[in-house]
Structures are given as structure tokens and as C-alpha cells.
Amino acid sequence: MSSSETSTAKTSNQVKDEVSAQVIADHMLVSDASKSLPQPKGEESIKMKSDLEDKKADANLGSGAKDQEVYFLKDENEQTKELCKNTIKNGNKTTVYFKNCKDGVYTISARVTKIMIESCQRCTFNFKGRIFTNTIEAWKTVDLKFNILNDQIKTLQVDMTSRINISYDTRSSLHSIIWSGVNDMKLHFQDEPDFVHATGFEQMKSQYPEQTLSFTVDQFTTRIIKGELLTEQIVRLANGYPTTEREAREFDANSEENAKRAEEYVRQKLKENGVNLGAIGIKKAEAGRNEACPCGSGKKNKKCCNK
């Protein structure tokens, strides 16, 4: 075979290889740097994307998802619906999940287990029925309106949201709003038409100027405490228990007061039985002038009680 024929043959083989590679490539998953998973091409990509979103939804439902039915409303536009007992027949085992709905009005009057709202925009939700877990979760939403028409919602959790209006029928229906990453949240009470409570991340930066708050990490709670509507930062105790600085201070103060009362009670009972506590006849060790003052002020003894 001449060199020219050999060259032609090689070129032909290269062409065949390239065609085969192209055919294989068209059926393979291709890597997309902007995604955490490989992405398919063509119609398969649409199906896989839908499957992945459904799997994420299952994950958001939590560990009880296997025992739960899910009433899924997805990608709806300009719909007006009422979810009543005829729509949701097995409410005590049904979670209602809204996703990517836009410009709709939804009334939930059926009894359900839980309500989850993801990535919805410009929708109005009217909550009238019983929610067995007393919980609503909403995240990645824009311009939502919530009308809460009973006291069945103990925890409303809102995350990564812009512009949400929440209206309760009365103050007694507001129990707790836990939120993070929220801009422009307004609270209303239907029996107080002139009342508006505005809060959000910008307000929290002003309320806690000494801290560097994180939009995505720091959590806050909005509740009525002793008749006053308050929004406070959530902090974690050493054991991981969530609370607020105000509650932690009150707990410490109550604990100290209760300890004193308990000690007085024990001393009184012992005294009634002829027993006196105390180091009688033993000289109490005194703190040195440069040691911490025994009163607990944190100052040196010479600058405090021994001044």
C-alpha cells in the first residue's frame, strides 16, 4: 500500500471513530460545571430534572415521608383552588406541598398533616383547616400573602424569602414565627386594622448593631411576649437548646432565686429540728487584696469590698 493510500485509510478510520464517538456522546451524561450532578441531553434532561426535584421534595418532607401521602401542586399559574375534605380525603396522613406556583389563590380548609411551600411567587394562601403538626414551612418565596384564620398554626417557619405579608385573625392565633434570610416581613391582625409590625434582616441589623449577622445563618423568632410583639435573635445554649438572650437571662435569674429559696427552706426545716448550719467557731478565709472579691463582682478585692 502506498503512503498516500495509507494516509487516506487512516483518515477514513479517524472519521469513523469520530462519528462513533459523537453517537456515544449524544447518549451520555455531560458534565455541567454549574450543577452538582451530571446533566443529560434532550428530552431525558427534562425527565431527570423533574425526578431530581421530586427527590428533593421527598427529602424536605423528612423521615416520616414514607408514611405520608403527598398532595403535590407544582408549576401552576393563576389558579384559584380550595383544598377541602372532598379533595383531600386522608388528611391525617397527607402533607400538602406547593412548588413553583405563581399568581394563585389557595384556600386550605381540609384537615392535613403539614403544609410546605417552596419557590412560589405572588400567591395568596388562606389557612382555615386543622394542621395536625401545627406547622407550615415556606422557603425561597417572593411576594406571598398568608391569611391565618384560626389558631392551628403553632410554628410558621419562613426562610430565604422576600416580601411576605402574614395576617392573623387575632393576636391569640400567633404563636411563633421562626425565620432566617427574610427581607420585608409584615404582620397584621384582622381585628386591629391599623396595626402593622414590620421586621426582617435589615431591622435585625439595627436591633443588634454590635453583631455581624449572617443573612443565611442567623435565625430569629417573632412572638407575643407579655402582650408585646417581639422579634428576637435565636441563640443556642451549650447543650444545643434554642432560646433567646432574654430568656437565658431570665432563666439564670430564676435559677439563682429558686436556689436561694431552696436553701432557706432547708435551713428552716433543719433549724426546726435543732440543727443549725454554718461554720461556727471557724474563722472564714479572707481573700487577699489582689485576689478576686468574694462578692462575685469580678473586681479585685482591694478595689471592691475591701476598698
Side-chain angles (χ1 to χ4, degrees):
M1 182 181 292
S2 67
S3 60
S4 61
E5 290 175 338
T6 303
S7 176
T8 302
K10 289 181 179 178
T11 303
S12 177
N13 289 335
Q14 288 175 348
V15 170
K16 289 180 180 179
D17 291 341
E18 289 175 1
V19 172
S20 298
Q22 184 63 44
V23 171
I24 294 172
D26 287 340
H27 292 83
M28 287 181 63
L29 298 178
V30 296
S31 178
D32 184 344
S34 66
K35 304 293 182 182
S36 59
L37 294 173
Q39 300 296 304
K41 293 182 176 181
E43 293 182 0
E44 292 181 2
S45 68
I46 299 174
K47 183 178 185 302
M48 176 169 276
K49 182 179 179 183
S50 178
D51 291 344
L52 288 174
E53 289 177 346
D54 290 344
K55 288 179 180 178
K56 289 179 183 178
D58 289 340
N60 289 328
L61 290 171
S63 59
K66 293 181 180 179
D67 300 327
Q68 282 289 305
E69 298 177 12
V70 180
Y71 192 88
F72 208 39
L73 296 97
K74 181 179 178 183
D75 299 326
E76 295 192 344
N77 291 313
E78 299 182 352
Q79 295 292 310
T80 299
K81 291 183 176 180
E82 179 171 4
L83 307 183
C84 59
K85 62 181 181 181
N86 293 328
T87 308
I88 302 176
K89 301 182 183 298
N90 194 16
N92 62 333
K93 289 187 176 181
T94 301
T95 293
V96 178
Y97 200 126
F98 297 90
K99 184 170 183 178
N100 294 332
C101 297
K102 298 179 177 65
D103 302 294
V105 178
Y106 298 95
T107 299
I108 301 91
S109 56
R111 296 188 298 176
V112 299
T113 300
K114 190 176 183 178
I115 296 175
M116 307 182 77
I117 302 169
E118 179 184 359
S119 301
C120 293
Q121 300 179 32
R122 300 178 302 279
C123 289
T124 297
F125 294 90
N126 302 308
F127 304 106
K128 298 170 63 176
R130 180 182 177 187
I131 302 174
F132 288 101
T133 61
N134 305 119
T135 301
I136 295 174
E137 295 182 21
W139 67 101
K140 296 181 181 178
T141 67
V142 179
D143 287 318
L144 294 192
K145 294 182 180 179
F146 286 179
N147 294 315
I148 299 173
L149 305 175
N150 56 37
D151 65 349
Q152 292 296 314
I153 300 168
K154 309 301 183 187
T155 301
L156 172 58
Q157 183 161 341
V158 183
D159 297 298
M160 307 308 294
T161 286
S162 292
R163 298 185 299 277
I164 182 169
N165 275 273
I166 305 170
S167 177
Y168 290 87
D169 53 354
T170 66
R171 287 180 177 250
S172 61
S173 295
L174 169 57
H175 296 274
S176 178
I177 302 174
I178 308 296
W179 60 270
S180 176
V182 175
N183 279 326
D184 190 10
M185 179 164 66
K186 291 184 173 65
L187 270 64
H188 311 265
F189 300 107
Q190 294 181 9
D191 58 351
E192 301 176 41
D194 297 327
F195 178 85
V196 179
H197 176 77
T199 188
F201 186 70
E202 291 302 317
Q203 286 88 341
M204 292 301 98
K205 287 198 298 185
S206 299
Q207 186 169 322
Y208 298 95
E210 72 284 357
Q211 298 186 36
T212 302
L213 299 177
S214 170
F215 184 77
T216 57
V217 174
D218 286 303
Q219 282 189 312
F220 305 90
T221 177
T222 300
R223 298 170 296 173
I224 294 178
I225 306 296
K226 298 178 181 179
E228 183 179 359
L229 186 57
L230 297 177
T231 297
E232 303 172 282
Q233 183 184 18
I234 294 175
V235 297
R236 299 274 174 179
L237 300 179
N239 61 1
Y241 183 82
T243 185
T244 66
E245 290 181 356
R246 174 188 52 80
E247 289 173 328
R249 289 194 302 269
E250 291 178 355
F251 177 83
D252 290 342
N254 290 336
S255 296
E256 184 177 349
E257 182 63 27
N258 289 337
K260 289 181 179 179
R261 290 178 179 176
E263 181 181 351
E264 291 173 359
Y265 177 80
V266 171
R267 286 180 177 274
Q268 181 61 34
K269 288 297 180 182
L270 290 174
K271 187 176 181 179
E272 292 174 358
N273 289 277
V275 179
N276 289 317
L277 294 180
I280 301 175
I282 301 177
K283 185 177 181 180
K284 184 178 180 181
E286 296 182 358
R289 284 176 49 78
N290 289 315
E291 295 178 3
C293 186
C295 75
S297 66
K299 299 179 181 179
K300 289 185 177 180
N301 193 25
K302 67 183 181 181
K303 293 185 177 180
C304 192
C305 295
N306 196 31
K307 186 176 181 180

